[in-house]
Coordinates of all heavy atoms in Angstrom, one line a residue:
Q25 N 13.4 118.5 113.7 CA 12.9 119.8 113.9 C 13.0 120.2 115.4 O 13.1 119.3 116.3 CB 11.4 119.8 113.6 CG 10.7 121.2 113.7 CD 9.2 121.2 113.6 OE1 8.6 120.1 113.3 NE2 8.5 122.3 113.8
I26 N 13.1 121.5 115.7 CA 13.2 122.0 117.1 C 12.1 123.0 117.3 O 11.7 123.7 116.4 CB 14.6 122.5 117.5 CG1 15.0 123.6 116.5 CG2 15.6 121.4 117.6 CD1 16.3 124.3 117.0
A27 N 11.7 123.1 118.6 CA 10.7 124.2 119.0 C 11.1 124.6 120.4 O 11.5 123.8 121.2 CB 9.3 123.6 119.0
V28 N 11.1 126.0 120.6 CA 11.6 126.5 121.8 C 10.5 127.4 122.5 O 9.9 128.2 121.8 CB 12.9 127.4 121.6 CG1 13.3 128.2 122.7 CG2 14.0 126.5 121.0
G29 N 10.3 127.2 123.8 CA 9.4 128.0 124.6 C 10.2 129.0 125.3 O 11.4 129.3 125.1
A30 N 9.6 129.6 126.4 CA 10.3 130.6 127.2 C 11.6 130.1 127.8 O 12.6 130.7 127.7 CB 9.4 131.2 128.3
D31 N 11.5 128.9 128.4 CA 12.7 128.4 129.2 C 12.7 126.9 129.1 O 13.1 126.2 130.0 CB 12.7 128.9 130.6 CG 11.3 128.7 131.3 OD1 10.5 127.9 130.9 OD2 11.1 129.5 132.3
F32 N 12.2 126.4 128.0 CA 12.3 124.9 127.7 C 12.4 124.8 126.2 O 12.2 125.7 125.4 CB 11.1 124.2 128.2 CG 9.9 124.3 127.4 CD1 9.4 123.4 126.5 CD2 9.1 125.5 127.5 CE1 8.3 123.5 125.7 CE2 8.0 125.7 126.7 CZ 7.5 124.7 125.9
A33 N 12.8 123.6 125.7 CA 12.9 123.3 124.3 C 12.5 121.9 124.0 O 12.6 121.0 124.9 CB 14.4 123.6 123.8
C34 N 12.1 121.6 122.8 CA 11.7 120.3 122.4 C 12.3 120.0 121.0 O 12.6 120.9 120.2 CB 10.2 120.2 122.2 SG 9.2 120.4 123.8
A35 N 12.5 118.7 120.8 CA 13.1 118.2 119.5 C 12.3 117.1 119.0 O 11.9 116.2 119.7 CB 14.5 117.7 119.7
L36 N 12.0 117.1 117.7 CA 11.3 116.1 117.0 C 12.4 115.1 116.4 O 13.2 115.6 115.6 CB 10.3 116.6 115.9 CG 9.7 115.6 115.0 CD1 8.8 114.6 115.8 CD2 8.9 116.3 113.9
L37 N 12.4 113.9 116.7 CA 13.3 112.9 116.1 C 12.7 112.3 114.9 O 11.5 112.3 114.6 CB 13.6 111.8 117.1 CG 14.1 112.3 118.5 CD1 14.5 111.1 119.3 CD2 15.2 113.3 118.5
G38 N 13.6 111.7 114.1 CA 13.2 111.1 112.8 C 12.3 109.9 113.1 O 11.5 109.5 112.2
T39 N 12.3 109.4 114.3 CA 11.5 108.2 114.6 C 10.0 108.7 115.0 O 9.2 107.8 115.1 CB 12.0 107.5 115.9 OG1 12.1 108.4 117.0 CG2 13.4 107.0 115.6
G40 N 9.8 110.0 115.1 CA 8.5 110.5 115.5 C 8.4 110.8 117.0 O 7.4 111.3 117.4
E41 N 9.5 110.4 117.7 CA 9.5 110.8 119.2 C 9.8 112.2 119.4 O 10.4 112.9 118.6 CB 10.6 110.0 119.8 CG 10.8 110.2 121.3 CD 11.9 109.3 121.9 OE1 11.7 108.1 121.9 OE2 12.9 109.9 122.3
V42 N 9.1 112.8 120.4 CA 9.4 114.2 120.8 C 10.1 114.2 122.2 O 9.5 113.7 123.2 CB 8.1 115.0 120.9 CG1 8.3 116.4 121.3 CG2 7.4 115.0 119.5
D43 N 11.2 114.9 122.2 CA 11.9 115.0 123.5 C 12.0 116.4 124.0 O 12.3 117.3 123.1 CB 13.4 114.4 123.3 CG 13.5 112.9 123.2 OD1 12.4 112.3 123.1 OD2 14.5 112.4 123.1
C44 N 11.8 116.7 125.2 CA 11.8 118.1 125.7 C 12.7 118.2 126.9 O 12.9 117.2 127.7 CB 10.4 118.6 126.1 SG 9.2 118.6 124.7
W45 N 13.3 119.4 127.2 CA 14.2 119.6 128.3 C 14.1 121.0 128.8 O 13.5 121.9 128.1 CB 15.6 119.2 128.0 CG 16.2 120.1 126.9 CD1 17.0 121.2 127.1 CD2 16.1 120.0 125.4 NE1 17.3 121.8 125.8 CE2 16.8 121.0 124.9 CE3 15.4 119.1 124.6 CZ2 16.9 121.2 123.5 CZ3 15.5 119.2 123.3 CH2 16.2 120.3 122.7
G46 N 14.6 121.3 130.0 CA 14.5 122.6 130.6 C 13.5 122.7 131.7 O 13.5 121.8 132.6
S47 N 12.7 123.7 131.7 CA 11.8 123.9 132.8 C 10.5 123.0 132.7 O 10.0 122.9 131.5 CB 11.3 125.4 133.0 OG 10.4 125.5 134.0
N48 N 10.0 122.5 133.7 CA 8.8 121.7 133.7 C 7.8 122.3 134.7 O 6.9 121.6 135.1 CB 9.0 120.3 134.0 CG 7.9 119.4 133.6 OD1 7.3 119.5 132.6 ND2 7.5 118.4 134.5
D49 N 7.9 123.6 135.0 CA 7.0 124.1 136.1 C 5.5 124.2 135.6 O 4.7 124.3 136.5 CB 7.5 125.5 136.5 CG 7.5 126.5 135.4 OD1 7.6 126.1 134.2 OD2 7.4 127.7 135.7
Q50 N 5.3 124.2 134.4 CA 3.9 124.1 133.9 C 3.6 122.8 133.1 O 2.7 122.7 132.3 CB 3.7 125.4 132.9 CG 3.9 126.7 133.6 CD 2.9 127.0 134.6 OE1 1.7 126.6 134.5 NE2 3.3 127.7 135.6
G51 N 4.5 121.8 133.3 CA 4.3 120.5 132.6 C 4.7 120.5 131.2 O 4.3 119.6 130.4
Q52 N 5.7 121.4 130.8 CA 6.2 121.5 129.5 C 6.9 120.2 129.0 O 7.1 120.0 127.8 CB 7.1 122.7 129.3 CG 6.5 124.1 129.7 CD 6.9 124.4 131.1 OE1 6.7 123.7 132.1 NE2 7.5 125.6 131.3
L53 N 7.5 119.5 130.0 CA 8.2 118.3 129.7 C 7.4 117.0 129.7 O 7.9 116.0 129.5 CB 9.5 118.2 130.6 CG 10.4 119.4 130.7 CD1 11.6 119.1 131.5 CD2 10.7 120.0 129.4
G54 N 6.1 117.2 130.1 CA 5.3 116.0 130.3 C 5.6 115.4 131.6 O 6.4 115.9 132.4
P55 N 5.1 114.2 131.9 CA 5.4 113.5 133.2 C 6.8 113.1 133.3 O 7.3 112.5 132.4 CB 4.4 112.4 133.3 CG 4.1 112.1 131.8 CD 4.1 113.5 131.1
L56 N 7.5 113.5 134.3 CA 8.9 113.0 134.6 C 9.0 111.9 135.6 O 8.3 111.9 136.6 CB 9.7 114.3 135.1 CG 10.0 115.4 134.1 CD1 10.7 116.5 134.8 CD2 10.7 114.9 132.8
D57 N 9.9 111.0 135.3 CA 10.2 110.0 136.2 C 11.1 110.5 137.4 O 11.7 111.6 137.3 CB 11.0 108.8 135.6 CG 10.1 108.1 134.5 OD1 8.9 108.1 134.7 OD2 10.7 107.6 133.6

């Protein structure tokens, strides 16, 4: 499954993991290393 915000996107993997990319100016990607 995918979900898209204004300027970021997220993907749900078959493992149950959620990955996001794009802008993180409001924390949309969670904590980044």
